[in-house]
Amino acid sequence: MQLLIVDDHPLFREALASAITLAFPDAVLHEADGIRTACEVLGREAGIDLTLLDLSMQGVAGFDGLVTIRARFPRVPVLIVSGLEDPRIMREAVQRGASGFVPKAVDKATLTRAISEVMNGALFTPPDLAGAPEPAPSRKSPLAERIARLTPQQMRVLMMIRQGKLNKQIAHELQVGDSTVKAHVSEILRKLEVISRTQIVIETAYLDFDKGHAGFPAA
């Protein structure tokens, strides 16, 4: 069993690795301190069975890290291990493709159970968070379905649009031509059913839970 721990705090990565090793002595552990490094590891190590991901890392806005990993490596399940314990954030993480969610404050037995259940194909959420009242219906689910239609490259372009980057900057970072970026933007507009870059940013703003959007408290 190979697992990837993605967290920008070295001490927490070490503590999590120790807890996993005690429960799964034969597990092979990989570590990453950010999304870029995580994608490099996942691209290099084809045998990784599970990613344990912190949502709140430097340089990551809201669910962007989770969405990026799920878009690029859809076959590798992601278990969120987060300091956030808001049931709404947990539900949004699951809607974005997470296979489980555990707060960092849980005991080792709960963490072990979460890893085992997700590895066996189940969805794991803590009973105390899962039992919280459901929020009122909103536009989020339909938009989540539209976001899921994007290709991995379109997801990268979307993230850069949300960062305020222009087509030329996006083309430079992706090492593609301006016409290719324009084609991606057109497809993103079509698939998200919006008419402008500004509307893209507004419609996807709820992904930034850590900035207080959509009623989420700032983390």
Side-chain angles (χ1 to χ4, degrees):
M1 179 168 75
Q2 296 192 50
L3 292 84
L4 170 62
I5 300 171
V6 187
D7 195 293
D8 59 356
H9 289 89
L11 287 178
F12 182 76
R13 290 202 307 271
E14 183 179 344
L16 188 55
S18 296
I20 293 172
T21 300
L22 283 174
F24 306 98
D26 296 328
V28 176
L29 303 182
H30 305 269
E31 295 186 14
D33 59 3
I35 300 304
R36 182 186 295 273
T37 308
C39 289
E40 290 174 356
V41 175
L42 287 165
R44 184 175 66 245
E45 304 290 342
I48 292 178
D49 302 294
L50 175 66
T51 297
L52 295 94
L53 174 69
D54 182 20
L55 288 175
S56 304
M57 292 187 290
Q58 240 181 354
V60 179
F63 295 102
D64 283 0
L66 170 62
V67 172
T68 297
I69 289 177
R70 291 297 299 142
R72 294 188 60 181
F73 306 96
R75 294 185 179 181
V76 182
V78 177
L79 173 63
I80 300 299
V81 183
S82 174
L84 304 164
E85 298 189 32
D86 189 317
R88 294 168 295 177
I89 293 176
M90 179 194 72
R91 292 190 186 103
E92 288 293 338
V94 171
Q95 287 184 4
R96 302 283 78 74
S99 297
F101 188 104
V102 291
K104 287 185 175 180
V106 299
D107 55 30
K108 291 179 182 178
T110 301
L111 174 65
T112 300
R113 183 157 59 92
I115 292 174
S116 296
E117 290 192 14
V118 172
M119 288 289 294
N120 286 326
L123 174 69
F124 180 88
T125 54
D128 54 337
L129 292 183
E134 289 280 352
S138 70
R139 60 178 171 80
K140 294 177 186 176
S141 291
L143 182 57
E145 294 172 5
R146 283 177 264 158
I147 288 177
R149 301 172 192 166
L150 301 179
T151 66
Q153 189 77 327
Q154 288 164 4
M155 280 300 310
R156 296 188 193 105
V157 174
L158 172 63
M159 298 307 177
M160 293 181 190
I161 290 174
R162 296 181 67 234
Q163 293 167 6
K165 294 181 179 179
L166 302 175
N167 282 4
K168 287 186 177 180
Q169 294 172 304
I170 296 173
H172 177 72
E173 288 200 27
L174 296 180
Q175 298 183 333
V176 297
D178 288 355
S179 59
T180 300
V181 174
K182 287 179 182 178
H184 283 317
V185 173
S186 295
E187 276 298 286
I188 291 169
L189 292 171
R190 183 183 69 80
K191 290 180 179 180
L192 296 188
E193 300 175 21
V194 295
I195 59 174
S196 69
R197 295 168 74 104
T198 300
Q199 196 176 355
I200 288 175
V201 175
I202 293 172
E203 287 289 308
T204 59
Y206 77 90
L207 293 173
D208 295 329
F209 63 81
D210 51 352
K211 295 181 182 176
H213 291 298
F216 289 142

